[in-house]
Amino acid sequence: MCLGRVDRGVGCSVVGCVNNASHSLSVKEVLNALSKLGLKLSSDSARRVYLCEEHYKAVKKVLRKERMYERWRFR
Ligand SMILES: [Zn+2]
């Protein structure tokens, strides 16, 4: 789900986070996960979200859990 590496100097899109972003993802993918983590994006209009290593890992964990639930539901 990672759309690629991020240019140097791009900051993490999470409000209050000052880390440099290392991953860029689509808003659609991460918005739900971020709200579950209690995190907010600094820009609602952006189509691309930039996440630092720390937040990327947290989001990935949530998404992985959701995918597991989905699989169970469809069984
Ligand atoms: Zn961050």
Side-chain angles (χ1 to χ4, degrees), residues 12-64:
C12 178
S13 301
V14 173
V15 169
C17 183
V18 293
N19 294 330
N20 273 341
S22 55
H23 299 271
S24 97
L25 302 139
S26 75
V27 172
K28 234 170 101 184
E29 245 179 330
V30 299
L31 206 60
N32 193 31
L34 283 175
S35 69
K36 279 206 172 123
L37 291 163
L39 301 170
K40 278 184 185 157
L41 294 175
S42 52
S43 165
D44 289 332
S45 56
R47 252 184 284 165
R48 202 51 75 74
V49 178
Y50 298 101
L51 293 177
C52 63
E53 200 63 43
E54 193 184 315
H55 282 126
Y56 175 72
K57 272 185 194 158
V59 164
K60 222 167 70 169
K61 218 183 261 179
V62 173
L63 289 177
R64 206 186 297 143

